[in-house]
Amino acid sequence: MADLRRSTVFFTEQHLSYADILPPLEVRSRIEVAVLNFLKVLNSSTPAISILPMINRKKSNSRVNHGLLTEDSWIFLSRSFCTRSLMRENTTKSFMRVWKMMEMCYEILVKEKRVTQRELFYKLLCVSPDYFPSQVQVNQTIQDVVALLRCSRFSLGVMASSRGAVAGRLLLQEPDQEIVDCTTCGSSGYAISGDLNLLEKLTMKTDARYIFVIEKRLAEDRVFNQIPCILITAKGYPDLATRNPAGLAILCTFKYGSIGMGLEAYRYACNIKWLGLRKDDLAAIPEESFIPLKPKDLQIAKSLTSSEILQDNYKEELAVMVQSGKKAEIEALYFHGYDFLGKYLANKIVQVDYI
């Protein structure tokens, strides 16, 4: 068979690996089995320190899985393994981090608690400062545990911090709370909880026809009064409506998932469309508003262009950008007036080629 890593055909279940959403009791059982297996090898007639086999989260192990009846695609990881070993100098600390993380998650599950990755970092920094000196080690080790136990991060009792916000034509109600009208939340919007259990309990009503993943400015402009829409922003990230390589990279993360999301990448991919600036829109922007591409922009563009999952029309946009050596921020459209952006988006959503 041709090189599977480079193929973009549909992959059957036996080729794919993913993390399950499991109840706490099942996750605790998997941790207990991991401990028992470790002790069994250690106490055998030929004692040894067993390695920890986990799904390889490198780009070379990524797969593109196409839907059978749709054109949607998602990133999956295949059943290729890497290991953490106490006997190899370069993975000794990683090996210990996995066990310490499983111990911490087991304790969280027993207490029926939920913690954010940031809270987990400060806890581990106090009890194991030599192994978790920064947030990076915590985030990577969580993904190691996900890859070892094949269960989602949320199943381990770990949830994302509340970063995003929503505004627009949406009524929300948490259990036993008052209804929140997201058209009245101001430019900051309504904070999106990282607790998936709480999100599932929300009662939601809307007459919106579109959901825009945007920067916060559109909330200030109240574009939902012009277009029946809900606005979502992920704070701290470049907006998806920005015509630069980083904006496109984040769009692709929403659309396909990413290797950094490990075995959970496919679960959060969504059929998002690119409504931001395209090469055909550049004539509407004054020359003075263009910004030279930086070396980091070119590096991101090169990585995206070589990606096997990126669709051809996106690659064409990148090629034009790299050739020109310039990028344009969507705020440049305010040259035409502060209400222009809403009109621009309204025109985009009726076009047939805005994928």
Side-chain angles (χ1 to χ4, degrees), residues 1 3 15 146 164 171 177 251 253 265 267 289 312 329 339:
M1 183 179 291
D3 183 2
H15 293 120
V146 167
L171 298 178
Q177 300 293 322
L251 185 151
T253 299
R267 193 180 302 281
S289 298
D312 290 341
E329 306 289 348
D339 61 343

Side-chain angles (χ1 to χ4, degrees), residues 281-291 328 331-336:
D281 301 316
L282 300 183
I285 297 176
E287 183 64 30
E288 296 78 9
S289 298
F290 288 92
I291 304 170
E331 287 87 353
L333 291 175
Y334 287 122
F335 170 81
H336 300 282

Side-chain angles (χ1 to χ4, degrees), residues 18 36 63 71 93 106 133 168 182 186 314 340:
Y18 47 86
L36 290 173
R63 300 290 188 272
E71 295 182 356
K93 281 198 170 183
Y106 192 89
C182 293
Y314 285 11
F340 183 80

Side-chain angles (χ1 to χ4, degrees), residues 33 48 206 221 238 251 282 330 344:
V33 168
T206 182
D221 293 345
L251 185 151
L282 300 183
I330 199 169
Y344 167 86

Side-chain angles (χ1 to χ4, degrees), residues 25-249:
L25 188 60
E26 173 66 19
V27 179
R28 286 165 52 187
S29 296
R30 292 192 181 190
I31 294 175
E32 290 166 359
V33 168
V35 173
L36 290 173
N37 287 339
F38 176 80
L39 294 176
K40 182 179 179 180
V41 174
L42 191 62
N43 291 312
S44 68
S45 57
T46 56
I49 303 293
S50 57
I51 62 173
L52 298 176
M54 56 194 65
I55 295 298
N56 189 340
R57 303 194 305 279
K58 292 185 178 180
K59 184 178 179 180
S60 59
N61 191 41
S62 63
R63 300 290 188 272
V64 180
N65 190 23
H66 289 308
L68 284 176
L69 302 177
T70 71
E71 295 182 356
D72 297 338
S73 302
W74 304 271
I75 291 176
F76 272 87
L77 297 179
S78 187
R79 298 189 185 279
S80 171
F81 291 89
C82 63
T83 61
R84 299 289 183 265
S85 171
L86 191 63
M87 309 309 292
R88 291 205 308 268
E89 183 178 356
N90 63 332
T91 63
T92 296
K93 281 198 170 183
S94 296
F95 180 93
M96 294 300 298
R97 287 187 192 114
V98 172
W99 286 109
K100 288 180 179 293
M101 183 64 72
M102 283 198 291
E103 177 187 18
M104 188 66 67
C105 290
Y106 192 89
E107 180 182 337
I108 292 168
L109 294 172
V110 167
K111 293 181 178 179
E112 299 181 344
K113 299 289 185 181
R114 297 268 175 207
V115 298
T116 65
Q117 290 190 169
R118 193 63 178 167
E119 292 167 339
L120 198 55
F121 162 61
Y122 283 113
K123 178 68 173 177
L124 288 164
L125 182 63
C126 292
V127 299
S128 303
D130 293 337
Y131 292 99
F132 297 96
S134 73
Q135 184 75 56
V136 172
Q137 284 79 28
V138 172
N139 297 351
Q140 291 177 345
T141 307
I142 289 172
Q143 287 297 335
D144 275 350
V145 175
V146 167
L148 178 66
L149 301 179
R150 311 292 181 84
C151 66
S152 70
R153 187 173 44 171
F154 192 73
S155 299
L156 291 167
V158 181
M159 63 182 185
S161 300
S162 298
R163 296 182 60 91
V166 60
R169 296 163 80 141
L170 178 66
L171 298 178
L172 291 174
Q173 186 175 23
E174 297 181 17
D176 302 321
Q177 300 293 322
E178 294 184 357
I179 294 176
V180 176
D181 182 352
C182 293
T183 64
T184 64
C185 291
S187 60
S188 60
Y190 177 84
I192 300 173
S193 171
D195 188 336
L196 299 183
N197 284 339
L198 178 59
L199 292 178
E200 289 179 354
K201 295 175 182 177
L202 285 175
T203 300
M204 294 181 279
K205 295 182 180 179
T206 182
D207 65 346
R209 296 183 61 189
Y210 310 100
I211 298 175
F212 293 161
V213 181
I214 48 89
E215 57 152 337
K216 291 188 289 185
R217 176 74 199 188
L218 285 179
E220 297 174 10
D221 293 345
R222 299 182 66 83
V223 72
F224 44 78
N225 288 337
Q226 299 173 256
I227 305 170
C229 65
I230 295 169
L231 310 176
I232 294 178
T233 180
K235 297 176 183 177
Y237 291 85
D239 58 279
L240 295 188
T242 297
R243 188 182 181 272
N244 65 48
L248 181 55

